[in-house]
């Protein structure tokens, strides 16, 4: 009986020793994988030819050659590079470098330099939200496209009150990335826009150089001249009027 009591006391002592042991030192785990930016999406743009890129949490979409080359793929896990990150898929590779960038069309500056590679080649541009001049807000706020026209598409209905008749529609699109693009009757155009209340400002527009017959060139020249400067906007229902000292253009909203 006494031996049993001694054995039980010994076992209890061992149990107490186990409980009093110091915890094992934490082992370093694997380094955390880089994550996409904290915002809902990352945007980048470029010119000559005009292109736009949006990296969302689920999809990555590239629109190149003024919207003629579209590539959309699931967003991969980014890989950390020397001074940035890389998103790589078979169809689309995006390299983002933390180097200040100017779009070459305005005084707006971006925090990142972006390189996009598709099967058609490589283009370079600027990305991220940023502006080195806070007194010059982007459309709808610093670095953000305007809320009024953003994401809308239009066709040119009349210039200076006279209805436009063309073989193919003259189109205008205001993208959510702060780009204005479309076909002015003959050539395609692409550039940056800013929207401040009822005023529209466009940067230097990149325009292709084809010659067209008929009324197309006349409409195109008038439209681009009206856009070259501060433009007053007036939207009523499905109609948008852009007016400047050069004249006015009336557009009708279209579904995308």
């Amino acid at each position: 009986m006494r031996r049993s009591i001694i054995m039980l006391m010994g076992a209890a002592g061992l149990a107490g020793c186990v409980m009093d042991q110091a915890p094992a030192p934490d082992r370093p785990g694997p380094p955390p994988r880089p994550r996409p930016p904290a915002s809902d999406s990352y945007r980048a743009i470029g010119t000559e030819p005009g292109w736009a890129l949006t990296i969302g949490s689920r999809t990555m979409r590239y629109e190149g050659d003024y919207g003629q080359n579209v590539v959309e793929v699931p967003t991969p896990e980014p890989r950390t590079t020397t001074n940035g990150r890389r998103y790589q898929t078979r169809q689309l590779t995006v390299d983002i470098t933390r180097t200040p960038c100017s779009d070459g069309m305005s005084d707006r500056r971006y925090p990142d330099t972006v390189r996009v590679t598709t099967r058609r080649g490589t283009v370079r541009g600027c990305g991220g939200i940023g502006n080195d001049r806070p007194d010059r807000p982007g459309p709808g706020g610093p670095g953000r496209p305007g809320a009024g026209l953003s994401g809308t598409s239009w066709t040119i209905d009349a210039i200076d009150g006279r209805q436009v008749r063309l073989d193919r529609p003259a189109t205008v699109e205001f993208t959510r990335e702060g780009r204005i693009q479309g076909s002015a009757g003959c050539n395609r155009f692409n550039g940056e826009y800013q929207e401040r209340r009822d005023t529209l400002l466009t940067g230097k527009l990149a325009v292709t150089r084809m010659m067209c017959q008929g009324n197309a060139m006349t409409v195109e020249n008038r439209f681009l001249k009206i856009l070259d400067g501060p433009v007053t906007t007036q939207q009523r229902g499905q109609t948008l009027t852009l007016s400047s000292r050069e004249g006015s253009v009336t557009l009708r909203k279209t579904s995308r």
Side-chain angles (χ1 to χ4, degrees):
M1 184 68 176
R2 182 178 179 184
R3 185 178 180 183
S4 300
I5 293 174
I6 294 174
M7 291 180 64
L8 287 174
M9 291 177 64
L14 289 174
C17 291
V18 172
M19 293 178 65
D20 291 340
Q21 286 180 351
D26 293 334
R27 294 182 179 179
R33 304 183 69 178
R35 306 301 302 172
S39 58
D40 292 338
S41 61
Y42 179 92
R43 297 182 177 88
I45 58 174
T47 59
E48 298 181 6
W51 60 266
L53 170 76
T54 302
I55 302 177
S57 59
R58 296 184 179 180
T59 59
M60 184 166 61
R61 180 181 176 88
Y62 168 76
E63 299 179 15
D65 300 318
Y66 303 102
Q68 299 300 306
N69 176 24
V70 178
V71 181
E72 185 168 346
V73 296
T75 301
E77 288 285 348
R79 178 169 60 85
T80 300
T81 57
T82 303
N83 190 28
R85 60 189 181 276
R86 165 177 280 197
Y87 297 82
Q88 186 169 18
T89 69
R90 290 186 178 182
Q91 296 176 291
L92 183 64
T93 299
V94 178
D95 289 290
I96 301 174
T97 305
R98 199 69 181 175
T99 304
C101 178
S102 173
D103 60 14
M105 297 175 59
S106 67
D107 61 355
R108 182 176 178 184
R109 293 181 63 82
Y110 300 76
D112 301 332
T113 297
V114 180
R115 183 178 64 186
V116 180
T117 302
T118 67
R119 294 176 179 177
R120 295 190 181 186
T122 300
V123 295
R124 291 171 175 79
C126 305
I129 297 176
N131 197 317
D132 60 351
R133 294 185 60 180
D135 59 316
R136 293 285 302 277
R144 299 177 59 189
L149 297 177
S150 175
T152 62
S153 300
W154 310 79
T155 57
I156 297 178
D157 188 58
I159 291 182
D160 297 327
R162 298 180 180 179
Q163 190 171 11
V164 170
R165 298 184 182 276
L166 298 172
D167 294 335
R168 56 181 181 178
T171 61
V172 182
E173 179 185 359
F174 298 91
T175 74
R176 298 187 185 281
E177 291 76 32
R179 308 290 295 178
I180 177 174
Q181 60 190 29
S183 171
C186 176
N187 289 281
R188 293 195 62 80
F189 67 91
N190 184 290
E192 189 178 55
Y193 79 93
Q194 295 183 355
E195 189 182 358
R196 304 175 188 171
R197 296 184 180 179
D198 59 350
T199 300
L200 173 70
L201 298 174
T202 62
K204 182 180 179 182
L205 298 179
V207 185
T208 57
R209 298 182 177 181
M210 296 187 299
M211 293 297 295
C212 298
Q213 298 179 349
N215 196 35
M217 291 301 299
T218 302
V219 171
E220 179 175 292
N221 290 335
R222 289 289 300 129
F223 173 68
L224 295 178
K225 198 168 185 179
I226 291 171
L227 284 186
D228 187 18
V231 176
T232 300
T233 64
Q234 185 177 26
Q235 186 173 346
R236 293 181 177 177
Q238 302 298 305
T239 300
L240 172 67
T241 302
L242 306 178
S243 304
S244 73
R245 61 184 180 181
E246 298 294 341
S248 66
V249 55
T250 304
L251 303 101
R252 192 165 300 278
K253 197 170 188 178
T254 60
S255 57
R256 299 184 62 183

